[in-house]
mmCIF file with all atom_site columns, all heavy atoms in Angstrom:
data_model
loop_
_atom_site.group_PDB
_atom_site.id
_atom_site.type_symbol
_atom_site.label_atom_id
_atom_site.label_alt_id
_atom_site.label_comp_id
_atom_site.label_asym_id
_atom_site.label_entity_id
_atom_site.label_seq_id
_atom_site.pdbx_PDB_ins_code
_atom_site.Cartn_x
_atom_site.Cartn_y
_atom_site.Cartn_z
_atom_site.occupancy
_atom_site.B_iso_or_equiv
_atom_site.pdbx_formal_charge
_atom_site.auth_seq_id
_atom_site.auth_comp_id
_atom_site.auth_asym_id
_atom_site.auth_atom_id
_atom_site.pdbx_PDB_model_num
ATOM 1   N N   . PHE A 1 27  ? -41.400 -68.507 -99.731  1.00 0.00 ? 1326 PHE A N   1
ATOM 2   C CA  . PHE A 1 27  ? -41.790 -68.275 -101.137 1.00 0.00 ? 1326 PHE A CA  1
ATOM 3   C C   . PHE A 1 27  ? -43.330 -68.409 -101.258 1.00 0.00 ? 1326 PHE A C   1
ATOM 4   O O   . PHE A 1 27  ? -43.990 -69.153 -100.591 1.00 0.00 ? 1326 PHE A O   1
ATOM 5   C CB  . PHE A 1 27  ? -41.125 -69.285 -102.073 1.00 0.00 ? 1326 PHE A CB  1
ATOM 6   C CG  . PHE A 1 27  ? -39.651 -69.435 -101.827 1.00 0.00 ? 1326 PHE A CG  1
ATOM 7   C CD1 . PHE A 1 27  ? -39.151 -70.640 -101.343 1.00 0.00 ? 1326 PHE A CD1 1
ATOM 8   C CD2 . PHE A 1 27  ? -38.814 -68.367 -102.045 1.00 0.00 ? 1326 PHE A CD2 1
ATOM 9   C CE1 . PHE A 1 27  ? -37.810 -70.780 -101.116 1.00 0.00 ? 1326 PHE A CE1 1
ATOM 10  C CE2 . PHE A 1 27  ? -37.451 -68.527 -101.831 1.00 0.00 ? 1326 PHE A CE2 1
ATOM 11  C CZ  . PHE A 1 27  ? -36.943 -69.717 -101.333 1.00 0.00 ? 1326 PHE A CZ  1
ATOM 12  N N   . LEU A 1 29  ? -45.924 -68.980 -104.611 1.00 0.00 ? 1328 LEU A N   1
ATOM 13  C CA  . LEU A 1 29  ? -46.081 -69.308 -106.027 1.00 0.00 ? 1328 LEU A CA  1
ATOM 14  C C   . LEU A 1 29  ? -47.516 -69.067 -106.457 1.00 0.00 ? 1328 LEU A C   1
ATOM 15  O O   . LEU A 1 29  ? -48.423 -69.603 -105.839 1.00 0.00 ? 1328 LEU A O   1
ATOM 16  C CB  . LEU A 1 29  ? -45.660 -70.752 -106.292 1.00 0.00 ? 1328 LEU A CB  1
ATOM 17  C CG  . LEU A 1 29  ? -44.243 -71.153 -105.843 1.00 0.00 ? 1328 LEU A CG  1
ATOM 18  C CD1 . LEU A 1 29  ? -44.040 -72.661 -106.133 1.00 0.00 ? 1328 LEU A CD1 1
ATOM 19  C CD2 . LEU A 1 29  ? -43.205 -70.348 -106.545 1.00 0.00 ? 1328 LEU A CD2 1
ATOM 20  N N   . ALA A 1 191 ? -34.487 -70.938 -109.207 1.00 0.00 ? 1490 ALA A N   1
ATOM 21  C CA  . ALA A 1 191 ? -34.600 -71.817 -107.980 1.00 0.00 ? 1490 ALA A CA  1
ATOM 22  C C   . ALA A 1 191 ? -33.272 -71.972 -107.289 1.00 0.00 ? 1490 ALA A C   1
ATOM 23  O O   . ALA A 1 191 ? -33.209 -71.981 -106.076 1.00 0.00 ? 1490 ALA A O   1
ATOM 24  C CB  . ALA A 1 191 ? -35.168 -73.197 -108.417 1.00 0.00 ? 1490 ALA A CB  1
ATOM 25  N N   . LEU A 1 194 ? -32.676 -68.848 -105.307 1.00 0.00 ? 1493 LEU A N   1
ATOM 26  C CA  . LEU A 1 194 ? -33.594 -68.721 -104.136 1.00 0.00 ? 1493 LEU A CA  1
ATOM 27  C C   . LEU A 1 194 ? -33.251 -69.700 -103.072 1.00 0.00 ? 1493 LEU A C   1
ATOM 28  O O   . LEU A 1 194 ? -33.457 -69.414 -101.858 1.00 0.00 ? 1493 LEU A O   1
ATOM 29  C CB  . LEU A 1 194 ? -35.041 -68.878 -104.626 1.00 0.00 ? 1493 LEU A CB  1
ATOM 30  C CG  . LEU A 1 194 ? -35.631 -67.773 -105.524 1.00 0.00 ? 1493 LEU A CG  1
ATOM 31  C CD1 . LEU A 1 194 ? -37.020 -68.157 -106.024 1.00 0.00 ? 1493 LEU A CD1 1
ATOM 32  C CD2 . LEU A 1 194 ? -35.643 -66.432 -104.789 1.00 0.00 ? 1493 LEU A CD2 1
ATOM 33  N N   . LYS A 1 195 ? -32.787 -70.867 -103.474 1.00 0.00 ? 1494 LYS A N   1
ATOM 34  C CA  . LYS A 1 195 ? -32.438 -71.927 -102.461 1.00 0.00 ? 1494 LYS A CA  1
ATOM 35  C C   . LYS A 1 195 ? -31.088 -71.794 -101.879 1.00 0.00 ? 1494 LYS A C   1
ATOM 36  O O   . LYS A 1 195 ? -30.625 -72.602 -101.086 1.00 0.00 ? 1494 LYS A O   1
ATOM 37  C CB  . LYS A 1 195 ? -32.611 -73.299 -103.098 1.00 0.00 ? 1494 LYS A CB  1
ATOM 38  C CG  . LYS A 1 195 ? -34.039 -73.664 -103.465 1.00 0.00 ? 1494 LYS A CG  1
ATOM 39  C CD  . LYS A 1 195 ? -34.179 -75.113 -103.855 1.00 0.00 ? 1494 LYS A CD  1
ATOM 40  C CE  . LYS A 1 195 ? -33.437 -75.458 -105.114 1.00 0.00 ? 1494 LYS A CE  1
ATOM 41  N NZ  . LYS A 1 195 ? -33.641 -76.852 -105.522 1.00 0.00 ? 1494 LYS A NZ  1
ATOM 42  N N   . ILE A 1 205 ? -43.414 -65.506 -106.844 1.00 0.00 ? 1504 ILE A N   1
ATOM 43  C CA  . ILE A 1 205 ? -43.250 -65.828 -108.265 1.00 0.00 ? 1504 ILE A CA  1
ATOM 44  C C   . ILE A 1 205 ? -44.609 -66.123 -108.858 1.00 0.00 ? 1504 ILE A C   1
ATOM 45  O O   . ILE A 1 205 ? -45.309 -67.015 -108.380 1.00 0.00 ? 1504 ILE A O   1
ATOM 46  C CB  . ILE A 1 205 ? -42.336 -67.058 -108.466 1.00 0.00 ? 1504 ILE A CB  1
ATOM 47  C CG1 . ILE A 1 205 ? -40.992 -66.803 -107.803 1.00 0.00 ? 1504 ILE A CG1 1
ATOM 48  C CG2 . ILE A 1 205 ? -42.143 -67.361 -109.936 1.00 0.00 ? 1504 ILE A CG2 1
ATOM 49  C CD1 . ILE A 1 205 ? -40.718 -67.660 -106.645 1.00 0.00 ? 1504 ILE A CD1 1
ATOM 50  N N   . VAL A 1 215 ? -42.161 -76.644 -112.915 1.00 0.00 ? 1514 VAL A N   1
ATOM 51  C CA  . VAL A 1 215 ? -40.718 -76.810 -112.533 1.00 0.00 ? 1514 VAL A CA  1
ATOM 52  C C   . VAL A 1 215 ? -40.441 -76.061 -111.245 1.00 0.00 ? 1514 VAL A C   1
ATOM 53  O O   . VAL A 1 215 ? -39.749 -76.599 -110.320 1.00 0.00 ? 1514 VAL A O   1
ATOM 54  C CB  . VAL A 1 215 ? -39.828 -76.268 -113.657 1.00 0.00 ? 1514 VAL A CB  1
ATOM 55  C CG1 . VAL A 1 215 ? -38.361 -76.320 -113.198 1.00 0.00 ? 1514 VAL A CG1 1
ATOM 56  C CG2 . VAL A 1 215 ? -39.972 -77.140 -114.920 1.00 0.00 ? 1514 VAL A CG2 1
ATOM 57  N N   . MET A 1 216 ? -40.990 -74.854 -111.103 1.00 0.00 ? 1515 MET A N   1
ATOM 58  C CA  . MET A 1 216 ? -40.743 -74.119 -109.831 1.00 0.00 ? 1515 MET A CA  1
ATOM 59  C C   . MET A 1 216 ? -41.329 -74.870 -108.651 1.00 0.00 ? 1515 MET A C   1
ATOM 60  O O   . MET A 1 216 ? -40.741 -74.901 -107.519 1.00 0.00 ? 1515 MET A O   1
ATOM 61  C CB  . MET A 1 216 ? -41.347 -72.702 -109.945 1.00 0.00 ? 1515 MET A CB  1
ATOM 62  C CG  . MET A 1 216 ? -40.670 -71.736 -110.867 1.00 0.00 ? 1515 MET A CG  1
ATOM 63  S SD  . MET A 1 216 ? -38.855 -71.539 -110.492 1.00 0.00 ? 1515 MET A SD  1
ATOM 64  C CE  . MET A 1 216 ? -38.883 -70.995 -108.798 1.00 0.00 ? 1515 MET A CE  1
ATOM 65  N N   . CYS A 1 217 ? -42.544 -75.421 -108.802 1.00 0.00 ? 1516 CYS A N   1
ATOM 66  C CA  . CYS A 1 217 ? -43.192 -76.196 -107.741 1.00 0.00 ? 1516 CYS A CA  1
ATOM 67  C C   . CYS A 1 217 ? -42.252 -77.372 -107.378 1.00 0.00 ? 1516 CYS A C   1
ATOM 68  O O   . CYS A 1 217 ? -42.071 -77.690 -106.144 1.00 0.00 ? 1516 CYS A O   1
ATOM 69  C CB  . CYS A 1 217 ? -44.534 -76.680 -108.131 1.00 0.00 ? 1516 CYS A CB  1
ATOM 70  S SG  . CYS A 1 217 ? -45.776 -75.388 -108.197 1.00 0.00 ? 1516 CYS A SG  1
ATOM 71  N N   . ASN A 1 218 ? -41.744 -78.067 -108.350 1.00 0.00 ? 1517 ASN A N   1
ATOM 72  C CA  . ASN A 1 218 ? -40.886 -79.214 -108.060 1.00 0.00 ? 1517 ASN A CA  1
ATOM 73  C C   . ASN A 1 218 ? -39.575 -78.801 -107.393 1.00 0.00 ? 1517 ASN A C   1
ATOM 74  O O   . ASN A 1 218 ? -39.112 -79.456 -106.406 1.00 0.00 ? 1517 ASN A O   1
ATOM 75  C CB  . ASN A 1 218 ? -40.578 -79.946 -109.382 1.00 0.00 ? 1517 ASN A CB  1
ATOM 76  C CG  . ASN A 1 218 ? -41.717 -80.730 -109.945 1.00 0.00 ? 1517 ASN A CG  1
ATOM 77  O OD1 . ASN A 1 218 ? -42.637 -81.059 -109.188 1.00 0.00 ? 1517 ASN A OD1 1
ATOM 78  N ND2 . ASN A 1 218 ? -41.698 -80.955 -111.225 1.00 0.00 ? 1517 ASN A ND2 1
ATOM 79  N N   . GLU A 1 219 ? -38.995 -77.686 -107.872 1.00 0.00 ? 1518 GLU A N   1
ATOM 80  C CA  . GLU A 1 219 ? -37.738 -77.224 -107.282 1.00 0.00 ? 1518 GLU A CA  1
ATOM 81  C C   . GLU A 1 219 ? -37.860 -76.794 -105.856 1.00 0.00 ? 1518 GLU A C   1
ATOM 82  O O   . GLU A 1 219 ? -36.950 -76.926 -105.025 1.00 0.00 ? 1518 GLU A O   1
ATOM 83  C CB  . GLU A 1 219 ? -37.180 -76.137 -108.150 1.00 0.00 ? 1518 GLU A CB  1
ATOM 84  C CG  . GLU A 1 219 ? -36.655 -76.508 -109.533 1.00 0.00 ? 1518 GLU A CG  1
ATOM 85  C CD  . GLU A 1 219 ? -35.302 -77.195 -109.455 1.00 0.00 ? 1518 GLU A CD  1
ATOM 86  O OE1 . GLU A 1 219 ? -34.809 -77.429 -108.343 1.00 0.00 ? 1518 GLU A OE1 1
ATOM 87  O OE2 . GLU A 1 219 ? -34.704 -77.513 -110.504 1.00 0.00 ? 1518 GLU A OE2 1
ATOM 88  N N   . LEU A 1 220 ? -39.008 -76.148 -105.549 1.00 0.00 ? 1519 LEU A N   1
ATOM 89  C CA  . LEU A 1 220 ? -39.184 -75.550 -104.190 1.00 0.00 ? 1519 LEU A CA  1
ATOM 90  C C   . LEU A 1 220 ? -40.069 -76.438 -103.301 1.00 0.00 ? 1519 LEU A C   1
ATOM 91  O O   . LEU A 1 220 ? -40.492 -75.963 -102.204 1.00 0.00 ? 1519 LEU A O   1
ATOM 92  C CB  . LEU A 1 220 ? -39.815 -74.169 -104.312 1.00 0.00 ? 1519 LEU A CB  1
ATOM 93  C CG  . LEU A 1 220 ? -39.021 -73.142 -105.107 1.00 0.00 ? 1519 LEU A CG  1
ATOM 94  C CD1 . LEU A 1 220 ? -39.757 -71.845 -105.244 1.00 0.00 ? 1519 LEU A CD1 1
ATOM 95  C CD2 . LEU A 1 220 ? -37.642 -72.905 -104.497 1.00 0.00 ? 1519 LEU A CD2 1
ATOM 96  N N   . ARG A 1 221 ? -40.332 -77.674 -103.681 1.00 0.00 ? 1520 ARG A N   1
ATOM 97  C CA  . ARG A 1 221 ? -41.278 -78.508 -102.970 1.00 0.00 ? 1520 ARG A CA  1
ATOM 98  C C   . ARG A 1 221 ? -40.817 -78.793 -101.501 1.00 0.00 ? 1520 ARG A C   1
ATOM 99  O O   . ARG A 1 221 ? -41.692 -79.012 -100.657 1.00 0.00 ? 1520 ARG A O   1
ATOM 100 C CB  . ARG A 1 221 ? -41.475 -79.811 -103.703 1.00 0.00 ? 1520 ARG A CB  1
ATOM 101 C CG  . ARG A 1 221 ? -40.272 -80.732 -103.762 1.00 0.00 ? 1520 ARG A CG  1
ATOM 102 C CD  . ARG A 1 221 ? -40.564 -81.958 -104.628 1.00 0.00 ? 1520 ARG A CD  1
ATOM 103 N NE  . ARG A 1 221 ? -39.433 -82.847 -104.744 1.00 0.00 ? 1520 ARG A NE  1
ATOM 104 C CZ  . ARG A 1 221 ? -38.482 -82.722 -105.634 1.00 0.00 ? 1520 ARG A CZ  1
ATOM 105 N NH1 . ARG A 1 221 ? -38.525 -81.658 -106.499 1.00 0.00 ? 1520 ARG A NH1 1
ATOM 106 N NH2 . ARG A 1 221 ? -37.464 -83.562 -105.725 1.00 0.00 ? 1520 ARG A NH2 1
ATOM 107 N N   . ASN A 1 222 ? -39.544 -78.740 -101.206 1.00 0.00 ? 1521 ASN A N   1
ATOM 108 C CA  . ASN A 1 222 ? -39.069 -79.040 -99.890  1.00 0.00 ? 1521 ASN A CA  1
ATOM 109 C C   . ASN A 1 222 ? -38.844 -77.749 -99.038  1.00 0.00 ? 1521 ASN A C   1
ATOM 110 O O   . ASN A 1 222 ? -38.340 -77.828 -97.921  1.00 0.00 ? 1521 ASN A O   1
ATOM 111 C CB  . ASN A 1 222 ? -37.783 -79.848 -99.901  1.00 0.00 ? 1521 ASN A CB  1
ATOM 112 C CG  . ASN A 1 222 ? -37.990 -81.236 -100.489 1.00 0.00 ? 1521 ASN A CG  1
ATOM 113 O OD1 . ASN A 1 222 ? -39.038 -81.867 -100.264 1.00 0.00 ? 1521 ASN A OD1 1
ATOM 114 N ND2 . ASN A 1 222 ? -37.035 -81.751 -101.208 1.00 0.00 ? 1521 ASN A ND2 1
ATOM 115 N N   . SER A 1 223 ? -39.223 -76.607 -99.608  1.00 0.00 ? 1522 SER A N   1
ATOM 116 C CA  . SER A 1 223 ? -39.023 -75.336 -98.914  1.00 0.00 ? 1522 SER A CA  1
ATOM 117 C C   . SER A 1 223 ? -40.334 -74.970 -98.230  1.00 0.00 ? 1522 SER A C   1
ATOM 118 O O   . SER A 1 223 ? -41.362 -75.551 -98.439  1.00 0.00 ? 1522 SER A O   1
ATOM 119 C CB  . SER A 1 223 ? -38.594 -74.286 -99.890  1.00 0.00 ? 1522 SER A CB  1
ATOM 120 O OG  . SER A 1 223 ? -39.627 -74.023 -100.801 1.00 0.00 ? 1522 SER A OG  1
ATOM 121 N N   . LYS A 1 224 ? -40.251 -73.909 -97.415  1.00 0.00 ? 1523 LYS A N   1
ATOM 122 C CA  . LYS A 1 224 ? -41.471 -73.347 -96.788  1.00 0.00 ? 1523 LYS A CA  1
ATOM 123 C C   . LYS A 1 224 ? -42.130 -72.406 -97.790  1.00 0.00 ? 1523 LYS A C   1
ATOM 124 O O   . LYS A 1 224 ? -41.561 -71.346 -98.120  1.00 0.00 ? 1523 LYS A O   1
ATOM 125 C CB  . LYS A 1 224 ? -41.078 -72.627 -95.520  1.00 0.00 ? 1523 LYS A CB  1
ATOM 126 C CG  . LYS A 1 224 ? -40.444 -73.504 -94.418  1.00 0.00 ? 1523 LYS A CG  1
ATOM 127 C CD  . LYS A 1 224 ? -40.236 -72.742 -93.115  1.00 0.00 ? 1523 LYS A CD  1
ATOM 128 C CE  . LYS A 1 224 ? -39.203 -71.635 -93.312  1.00 0.00 ? 1523 LYS A CE  1
ATOM 129 N NZ  . LYS A 1 224 ? -38.938 -70.922 -92.026  1.00 0.00 ? 1523 LYS A NZ  1
ATOM 130 N N   . HIS A 1 225 ? -43.236 -72.798 -98.316  1.00 0.00 ? 1524 HIS A N   1
ATOM 131 C CA  . HIS A 1 225 ? -43.857 -71.967 -99.346  1.00 0.00 ? 1524 HIS A CA  1
ATOM 132 C C   . HIS A 1 225 ? -45.329 -72.196 -99.413  1.00 0.00 ? 1524 HIS A C   1
ATOM 133 O O   . HIS A 1 225 ? -45.887 -73.151 -98.870  1.00 0.00 ? 1524 HIS A O   1
ATOM 134 C CB  . HIS A 1 225 ? -43.239 -72.304 -100.707 1.00 0.00 ? 1524 HIS A CB  1
ATOM 135 C CG  . HIS A 1 225 ? -43.647 -73.599 -101.299 1.00 0.00 ? 1524 HIS A CG  1
ATOM 136 N ND1 . HIS A 1 225 ? -43.082 -74.781 -100.867 1.00 0.00 ? 1524 HIS A ND1 1
ATOM 137 C CD2 . HIS A 1 225 ? -44.510 -73.917 -102.266 1.00 0.00 ? 1524 HIS A CD2 1
ATOM 138 C CE1 . HIS A 1 225 ? -43.626 -75.792 -101.551 1.00 0.00 ? 1524 HIS A CE1 1
ATOM 139 N NE2 . HIS A 1 225 ? -44.512 -75.324 -102.401 1.00 0.00 ? 1524 HIS A NE2 1
ATOM 140 N N   . GLN A 1 227 ? -48.659 -72.176 -102.343 1.00 0.00 ? 1526 GLN A N   1
ATOM 141 C CA  . GLN A 1 227 ? -48.984 -72.258 -103.780 1.00 0.00 ? 1526 GLN A CA  1
ATOM 142 C C   . GLN A 1 227 ? -50.469 -71.907 -103.902 1.00 0.00 ? 1526 GLN A C   1
ATOM 143 O O   . GLN A 1 227 ? -51.346 -72.347 -103.145 1.00 0.00 ? 1526 GLN A O   1
ATOM 144 C CB  . GLN A 1 227 ? -48.806 -73.691 -104.316 1.00 0.00 ? 1526 GLN A CB  1
ATOM 145 C CG  . GLN A 1 227 ? -47.342 -74.141 -104.374 1.00 0.00 ? 1526 GLN A CG  1
ATOM 146 C CD  . GLN A 1 227 ? -47.183 -75.566 -104.690 1.00 0.00 ? 1526 GLN A CD  1
ATOM 147 O OE1 . GLN A 1 227 ? -46.136 -76.125 -104.561 1.00 0.00 ? 1526 GLN A OE1 1
ATOM 148 N NE2 . GLN A 1 227 ? -48.245 -76.176 -105.207 1.00 0.00 ? 1526 GLN A NE2 1
#
Side-chain angles (χ1 to χ4, degrees):
F1326 312 114
L1328 303 177
L1493 293 175
K1494 292 190 296 184
I1504 303 111
V1514 174
M1515 289 304 304
C1516 288
N1517 288 338
E1518 290 282 5
L1519 300 178
R1520 64 185 179 276
N1521 295 323
S1522 66
K1523 297 185 296 183
H1524 73 283
Q1526 293 174 194

